Structures are given as structure tokens and as C-alpha cells.
Amino acid sequence: MSSSEGMAEAIKSSAGSNTKGALASRAIKLAPLLFLLVIVVFFGLMNERFFSVRNLFNIANEVSVFGLMAVGATFVILAAGIDLSVGSILALAGMVAAVVLTGGTMSSFSIDGAAAQGFGWAAAFLAALAVGAACGGLQGLATTKLRVPAFVVTLGGMSAFRGATLVISGGGPIATSDPAFRWWGQGRVLFDTVPTPVVIFIVVALLAHLTLRYTKFGRDVYAVGGNAQAARLAGLNVDRTITWVYLISGLLAGLAGFLLSARLGSSEAVAGAGFELRVIASVVIGGTSLFGGVGGIGGTVIGALLIGVLLNGLVMLNVNVYWQQIIVGLIIVLAVAFNIFARRGLGRS
Amino acid sequence: MHAPLLKVENLTRMFPGVIALGGVDLEVPEGEIHALLGENGAGKSTLLKILSGAQSASSGAITFAGESYEPSSPIAAQRAGIVTIYQEFSLIPDITVAENIFLGRQPLRNGVVDWDRMIQLAGDICRRVGRTLDPRAIVRDLSVGDQQLVEISRALSMDARLIIMDEPTAALSGPEVTRLLELMRALRADGVTIIFVSHRLSEVMDVCDSYTVLRDGRLVGAGRVADTSVARLVASIVGRESAPTFKRAARKADAASPLLRVENLSYAGHGADAISLHDINLEVRRGEVLGIAGLVGAGRTQLARLIFGAELPSRGTIKLDGHATTIASPRDAIAAGIGLVPEDRKQQALFLDLSSSTNLSVTTLSGLTGWFGWVRERQEKRLFQDFRKKLAIKVSSSDQLVGNLSGGNQQKIILARWLALKPRLLIVDEPTRGVDVGAKAEIHALLCAIADEGVSVIVISSELPEILAVSDRIVVMCEGRVTGELEGEAANETNVARLMLPGATH
């Protein structure tokens, strides 16, 4: 075995080169946060109503819904997967919640809305979560057992779950007027200040962070995403881990669907269409690698805030809706490009 | 003997910290088949890469057909008249034979591919390689032997004067080998010069006119095949002046009740470069280091993966403590107390983006968790510090990314990962690949220390000195079969080398 002097020398030199790398990687981690602050200041200067309490709650409410899905997507992407079906799961879960709540597929156009007997918000809540988890878990099994690429499985799920929503609703929206139900979307907690969905988002994000950072399951997600082959050879249950991340993604999309339905007072079959873009963008802008194994919830929350602020700010500036789409699309691509270049620049040996 | 077509003088290629080629000379007479011989890592590949334009030399001169030759790319080399056929074919599987032959050089008419002419030209060339290959056949549907003929046809279509064949017979069946050797003779009669790389000395004796032997990046022998013998070639290929830096103290393991017994284990490889195993029988005794020697492609890694459950055998039994055990996955193997350090660290073992401590604890984490799978990080850190001290792992902290460590320290972390599980059998495939010289001896000592604590260790290595240094017993494999088992005095370089070279035994 080598002498301890040589060892100390080696440690010193490697520590020296490491602090430089650590600094650079910290700068990359901070970049989305800086960008967020910049656009917040920018929109605040451009329009004084941007900083109004009402608008800030608007942003927070909006971010809470797709932010929950982004938290779920973080598990999936960390495990080197992808879930395109979250928008459709949101719609299906929201619709199922409305049906359970109202006791029938009564369209809101119907005059006699109160005739059917419902099952209450708790049943609706559980139903939405169960539907979401089932959709996600099913997709997870399809990827692991049938060996169909996740991209294809969830692309199929995106279509199938949307179709199922339309079948249940018959195409029309279902109104949800139960006050206890609507509290989940429109109520306030903590001395009537913070909107319920925001609190739920914060709690879920925190739990997700703790899970990824401090539990064996979280470690497994990083290991499977970082190197699936090595994970298998180290004895990890790769298939089970992958199935779980899709289940979690579906579950959180179901929760988001429940909250959105409660907030809008109505479940619509088109709800959440196109959400996969902002969900995946939140994750990737937040620094999680699309190749898996690198990233975390903290970045995703910042990414979701960034997208929420951007969407809101462009509306406040009266930017044409069509142009909004172009701008959001461009920013997403540029943010990802930045992330990739920055990582390459770091030059991991 | 003819004038040299290719003349290499004092060719040197250096990589950071390594001399891959140190002043090599090579002379290939025109119209001959020249054998290029040497062990894995002797420098053959580097030499071939330089000749084929895939790499440049650090210094030295090459003359080809009387002119200075310094190809800037494989295409430049082909234009000059040197075409290399690698073991891994460069064919595109989903298009036709004719398209592959003329890839990038399709005959055109009015700017579009002239199919009739291309098929006709390809047909002419295919006839020259002596077989009725249909130019319209899709390459994927052809046998490996026929795909090789397509490669040769492509070389001929470029009017190659020198064709380099890198182990062309390694993946072929017996009759296909005979056919290829016939074709090589026919090409020689046509005036084509060939460099033939092969570990099969019987083929070399059979078909080659002259030879060059490399060892450790240096020229150690050259001459006429007619003036030498298989035995002298073997001696020249494996002979070593430098003594191994570590030698395991002689000891005798208990042969009465082996820990592991492998009986008639077979594996059917699928695909072009897959390796099959045929009726492997061996045993591993308690607390011994069993070396498995053989050339790359002998099936050693395949055997390790079968024992570890990473792949399933088509036939045969694995017995632990005398009981037949089903090992259907790495999880099963780990539960049975078996660990595997795979040959390709980066692809198969390391999580490069994760910390050193996470990489170490990945196998033992379930034992370090509390409620809800919460990881007890303090225990995890302690585990890491224990092994860091025990194996002298050089890291700045437990958080240092494993990707930033040296090869030797990475290897120690993977070894520690298995040692933490207290295994009964540890399989180590190429323990010192990509590990520098100093750490090499350390890892050798470590493997022996592990065995001395009662763990059975299987060491697989392409480096003979390594196998000889650490093993109590040596099993030699060749082309998917066990060709011999050596112990004590008999386990020497000459005997092992004879058993691992195909054709050297008969």
C-alpha cells in the first residue's frame, strides 16, 4: 500500500481541482434562479400590477397545478424516462373526480344539476388519485414488462387517457359546485391567506425533495437513471423503480387534476392539453438532465416558477397569444441548450 | 522474396503516460500474406489504426509503394490503396450488398444512382471473391462469413493494393475459415498484398509468407514463416523480460468441498459478435484465487456473467456448497453471496455523476435505512471511511464524484462495494484495466488479501503476468471451451499460453 505522504499529496491536488469544478457547477445551478429574478424584475418594471397580491396568487395558483406534475416528472426524468401523458391524466382524473362528486355525468348545461346524488369530496379526491396512480402505474408496467420505449407508451397514454375523458364526459364539461370540494381549489389556509393548492404544492415538493435526497428509493432513482446497466449489476430492482416513478408521475397528475377541477368549479375534457411541454420544460430548465441521474426538485420548482412568471408576464404585457407560444418555445430550447453547453464546458473527466 | 510494398520505420505512438508503440519497424513484401502477431495490448491495434488513417503516429516514417505515406483519414488511406477490414464490420445491415460495396462511390447516371450498372459491377466483384453472392441481397440476411466477403469485395472495388484483415477468422466457422484462407491465396495470386492479424498460429503457418511479432509496443521478432515453428512463435509472442511486481505466496486451498461448481454450463451466443460457451466445467475452492486466462473473445466474461446471473445459460448447472442453485438475475447471485466487478467499469459498474460514498454503498443501502427507507447517512459515511482507510482509497471527501477519481481508486470503490456485502465469491473481470502501474500491484495484493480472509476470488485477465501473479490455480479458456487447468509448477507462462492460443495445441 502506498505511503501516507503520497496519499495526502494526491488528496490535496485533487481537492484543488475540485473546488474549481464545484464553483462552476454551483454557478450553473444558480443560473435559472438568476434568470427568474431578472424576469420578475423586468415584468414588475413593465407593469405595476404584476406585483399586486392578486396577480402573485394567480401565478402561484397556476404554478401549483403544473408544478405538481413537474415534481412527478422530475422522478421520471431522473430515472432517464419521459412522461408525455400527464396532461391527459390530469383531465381524466379531474373528470372522474367530478363524476364521483356529482354522482353522474350530468353536464353543466343541464338545468336539473342537483338531482343526482354525489359521494362527497373525499371520495372524489381518492378517485382522482387512484385514477392517476393507475394510469401511471400501467404505463410503468408497459415500459418495463413489454419493453416498449417510454416515449411511445406515454404518447399512446396521452391519446388514450384523453379519449377516456371524452367518453366519460360525453364531450361537455361537468360543473362541480360543492363548496367543500371547491375549497381545495379556491380556499385559503393559514389564517385565510395562502391558497390551498399552493400549500399542497409546497408540501408535496418538500416531501418529494426529501424522498429523492434522503431515502433508498430516491437513491435508486438516481442510480437507475445514471446507469441502468450498472444498477442492475449492483442488484437494484431496476424495473420496480421505473414502474414506481411513472406511478408517482400519474398520481401527482391526478392530484393536479383534482385541484384544477376544484379551482375552476368545472371539469373539462380539454383540460391540461399541451401541459407536457411546460411540465418537462420546468424540469429541464431546473437543471435535471434529460439523460437521467442528475438534478432534483429544487431546480424543478424554480423552473416551474420561471415558466409560470413568463406565461403570466406576457399576458400582463398584452403580448399576442400566438407570439406567447413562440416566445415560450424559444426560451425552453435556449434554456436546455444553455444547460447542455454549461455541462460540457465543465468537462467532466 | 519481393521488394517491400509497405515499409514502416521507427514508428512511435504515445498516449498520455503510455507508449503504445515504441519505435516499431515493419516490412511487408509485395504480393505476400504477412502475419502481424502479438498478445492483446502488444500494439497491433495502434499500428493498424495508424496504417488505416484512423490515428496519427507521434514519430516515424511509413513508405507505401515507394512513396511517403501519411494518411490524414481512413478515406485518404483507402485512396492510397490500403483498406482495413476490422473485426467489427463497417457494413450497413439494412441495404443491399451492391450498395454496401459502392457506398459513397455509387456509379451515377444523370446525377442519380445507376442501379443496373452498380448491380452488374458488384456481381463481377462478387464472382472474384469466389462465391455466388447476390448483389441484391440485404446484408443483414447474410452469414458472418458472407458479410466478410462483402467487406473484401468492397476493398477490391477500391482497387486496394494492401488489405489489412484484423482477426478475420475469429468469428468464422471451420468451413468458412477454410474458404477465407483459400480466397486469401487467390488474392495473393492476383497480386494483392495482405496483412493478416490472427491469434491462430496454425492459420498463420498455413497461409502466411512472412511475419512480425510485437510485444509491449515493441518489435520482438520478424522473419519468414517457413523458417519458424508454432512453438518459436509462441515463445516470441509471450516471452517477457520484466518479472511481475507481485507474486502470491504459494498456498493450498481445500479441494474436498468446493464452494462453487459449474457443470456443463453452455451458452448460445446470438448475433454477429456473440460468444458461445460449450460445456464449461470448473470448480472454485474456498479461499482460493482462481485465475481464468484466455484471449479476448475466449468466453471468460460470458462465463462470469452466467455465474452472476446477468445472463442465463442455455444448459448446465451451478452448484453452491454442493447444491444446485438457480441464479436468474444479479439479485439472485448477490443473495447467494456472489459479487462481480465487471470489465468495463464506466459502462457496467460506476455511477459517474454520483458521489464516491453513494457508489460504494449502493449494494448495502437497504441495511443502512430506517423508517420509510430513510438512509442513515452517518452510518453510510462511517462505512465509507472504513473502506477508505482499509483499501487506501484516495479521495478528497466522501462527496467527491466518482467520475473524478483515478482508475485505480474507482476500482477500489467497486471492490469495496462488494466487500461491504461480505461475499463468499467475488468475480473480478480485468481487475487492472485502465489502472496505472503503482495501483496495479496494490490491487493484486488486495485480491490476495481478500482470498486470505476466506473469500473465493475468480480473477479474469487478458494479461498473463497478472494471472500468474495472483492465482493459486489457473483455468484456461479458448473459443468458448475450457482447454486446461493448471496448478503449482505447471501453472507457468508457456503452458498457459499454449492452452489459450487456438491451434497451438494441435
Side-chain angles (χ1 to χ4, degrees), chain B residues 142-187:
Chain B
L142 302 179
S143 72
V144 178
D146 284 349
Q147 292 189 13
Q148 195 166 52
L149 293 184
V150 177
E151 285 269 10
I152 295 172
S153 300
R154 177 153 81 186
L156 292 177
S157 79
M158 294 185 224
D159 294 321
R161 295 182 66 184
L162 173 65
I163 300 181
I164 302 173
M165 299 186 184
D166 187 8
E167 293 200 52
T169 56
L172 299 187
S173 64
E176 284 178 325
V177 170
T178 315
R179 198 179 69 196
L180 179 70
L181 298 184
E182 276 310 311
L183 174 60
M184 287 168 64
R185 288 194 192 97
L187 291 174

Side-chain angles (χ1 to χ4, degrees), chain A residues 1-2 7 10-11 14-15 18 210 213-217 219 222-224 226-227 229-237 292-294 348-349, chain B residues 308 310 330-331 334 346-351 353-354 358 361-363 365-366 369 372-375 377 380 394-396 400 403-404 418 442:
Chain A
M1 307 272 159
S2 78
M7 192 168 140
I11 291 168
S14 65
N18 222 38
L210 295 175
R213 174 72 183 75
Y214 293 105
T215 69
K216 167 151 170 48
F217 173 72
R219 295 285 191 85
Y222 280 95
V224 166
N227 189 344
Q229 201 185 357
R232 188 171 103 86
L233 290 179
L236 301 188
N237 195 332
V294 180
R348 276 186 298 122
S349 53
Chain B
F308 189 64
R331 294 171 65 78
I334 292 165
K346 288 196 171 151
Q347 296 291 326
Q348 304 182 335
L350 291 173
F351 305 100
D353 292 315
L354 298 182
T358 312
S361 64
V362 66
T363 49
L365 206 58
S366 21
T369 53
F372 302 112
W374 194 270
V375 177
E377 294 202 346
E380 190 190 14
K394 289 167 200 153
V395 287
S396 56
Q400 188 174 13
N404 294 335
W418 294 114
E442 251 184 279

Side-chain angles (χ1 to χ4, degrees), chain B residues 67-78:
Chain B
E67 285 172 35
S68 170
Y69 171 79
E70 211 173 316
S72 54
S73 69
I75 293 172
Q78 289 170 4

